[in-house]
Amino acid sequence: MEEATAVTSSTDYPSEDSPLGKCSQCSRAKKVCVCALVPAEPFMTDTRIVILIHPKETRRASGTVPLLQLCLKNLKVVCGASFGATLEDAAEELRTELCGEGTEFRRPTFLVMPGPTAEVLRRKPKPTCEEDSERYEVLAAPAAGQTSVLPTAMQRTLIFVDGTWRQAKQMIRNTPWLTEMSRVCLDPDEESRYRFRKQPQKVCLSTLEAVADCLVSLEHDVSRAWEVHAVMTRLFAGMVSHQLAYIPKFQREGGSEGASANAAADPSQGEGSRSEKAAARAALLRTWCLVRRNRECTGEK
């Protein structure tokens, strides 16, 4: 069984002078650095976020956990493929995080993962004024015939499993105490914007997107939660956009989309572009006809 190791926001990233060419803050390659979108200070939230990350996921440059570490203070990241048969078998740092000095969760704790008994979290509407934010408490939709397992108190812990969906399922199977936990899940209105990583279902989100949606579902200060959500999703969108620029498939799509957008903004530009392409095709056709005629005259095949 692989022992879990803790990874915190103080992770030592390669320096700017490193031969790997990585940014010292966001740990991404300099050419796709997203530090311009990182908040000046990480946000403090009432909800404690614990992320169990698969070792292979830590080596993915496109992972979202490093971005979460730049956005949130109340966050703990632990790396491992399994985390013990019981909480008592878990790595000491993880056990202390969840249970303190005891053997039971010290705060109401939930695993964020779909399942037949998972309670669906609903995003709270964006408040239109300060008075509106005081009206919203924990907003959840328990399954038919069930009562909500979520506490009304603000202090709670959400556990996220980070990796591919296959890895996440294996991590949970290898950690029996996770399978016994109360679960919550999301029912997002929009598909994930993680365009270059395939999702098994339309309702599947990246870890960053899931954390952001959970915060606007559970935080007491709704206005603040939506502010955090906006910053996190903007950072994520910037990361995805930078990455797509270096993937040939999306470069082609982006080029055609950009040309269409430019033509729509300036019809004369679009017409000029089309006439240039038509002239180029005509010139190519004339060249081909000339070559063919010369070969026929000389008897070449």
Side-chain angles (χ1 to χ4, degrees), residues 224-241:
R224 177 73 166 175
W226 274 107
E227 177 186 352
V228 175
H229 186 281
V231 171
M232 291 173 62
T233 52
R234 186 163 57 246
L235 174 60
F236 178 69
M239 183 273 283
V240 171
S241 177

Side-chain angles (χ1 to χ4, degrees), residues 204-263:
C204 296
L205 302 175
S206 69
T207 300
L208 183 146
E209 291 171 302
V211 170
D213 274 9
C214 282
L215 291 178
V216 294
S217 301
L218 298 174
E219 289 289 288
H220 179 72
D221 188 338
V222 186
S223 297
R224 177 73 166 175
W226 274 107
E227 177 186 352
V228 175
H229 186 281
V231 171
M232 291 173 62
T233 52
R234 186 163 57 246
L235 174 60
F236 178 69
M239 183 273 283
V240 171
S241 177
H242 289 335
Q243 200 70 35
L244 292 180
Y246 292 91
I247 300 177
K249 172 186 174 182
F250 295 102
Q251 283 179 336
R252 292 191 294 270
E253 292 180 0
S256 62
E257 291 171 1
S260 299
N262 291 337

Side-chain angles (χ1 to χ4, degrees), residues 46-277:
D46 296 318
T47 304
R48 178 70 167 169
I49 304 297
V50 175
I51 298 178
L52 307 180
I53 184 170
H54 193 280
K56 290 184 178 180
E57 189 66 22
T58 63
R59 298 193 288 270
R60 285 183 180 269
S62 59
T64 62
V65 170
L67 303 184
L68 278 168
Q69 291 175 311
L70 296 173
C71 291
L72 300 178
K73 283 185 179 179
N74 203 3
L75 172 75
K76 183 73 171 180
V77 181
V78 181
C79 178
S82 61
F83 302 91
T86 66
L87 269 173
E88 295 179 358
D89 299 327
E92 182 178 355
E93 190 157 1
L94 176 59
R95 185 174 64 251
T96 303
E97 164 66 30
L98 297 175
C99 305
E101 299 300 324
T103 58
E104 302 291 334
F105 293 127
R106 58 179 177 174
R107 291 183 294 265
T109 303
F110 305 90
L111 175 65
V112 182
M113 180 66 63
T117 61
E119 185 167 343
V120 181
L121 301 180
R122 307 290 185 187
R123 295 198 302 186
K124 301 174 185 178
K126 293 181 181 180
T128 55
C129 60
E130 293 184 2
E131 290 76 10
D132 285 345
S133 64
E134 298 176 358
R135 296 192 295 112
Y136 298 108
E137 296 297 332
V138 173
L139 187 63
Q146 295 182 350
T147 57
S148 175
V149 296
L150 289 165
T152 55
M154 290 183 287
Q155 296 296 331
R156 67 184 66 81
T157 298
L158 297 182
I159 297 179
F160 294 80
V161 181
D162 187 68
T164 65
W165 282 92
R166 182 177 181 180
Q167 290 167 351
K169 291 177 181 178
Q170 290 176 340
M171 291 165 70
I172 293 175
R173 281 197 300 265
N174 295 337
T175 310
W177 60 268
L178 283 175
T179 65
E180 299 170 0
M181 290 185 60
S182 297
R183 296 190 184 194
V184 294
C185 66
L186 294 162
D187 185 16
D189 300 325
E190 302 174 352
E191 294 183 29
S192 173
R193 298 181 181 180
Y194 219 167
R195 293 180 59 195
F196 56 87
R197 288 190 68 172
K198 186 177 180 180
Q199 306 298 331
Q201 298 178 21
K202 292 183 178 181
V203 296
C204 296
L205 302 175
S206 69
T207 300
L208 183 146
E209 291 171 302
V211 170
D213 274 9
C214 282
L215 291 178
V216 294
S217 301
L218 298 174
E219 289 289 288
H220 179 72
D221 188 338
V222 186
S223 297
R224 177 73 166 175
W226 274 107
E227 177 186 352
V228 175
H229 186 281
V231 171
M232 291 173 62
T233 52
R234 186 163 57 246
L235 174 60
F236 178 69
M239 183 273 283
V240 171
S241 177
H242 289 335
Q243 200 70 35
L244 292 180
Y246 292 91
I247 300 177
K249 172 186 174 182
F250 295 102
Q251 283 179 336
R252 292 191 294 270
E253 292 180 0
S256 62
E257 291 171 1
S260 299
N262 291 337
D266 185 357
S268 61
Q269 180 180 350
E271 292 173 2
S273 177
R274 284 193 294 271
S275 62
E276 290 173 3
K277 289 181 179 179

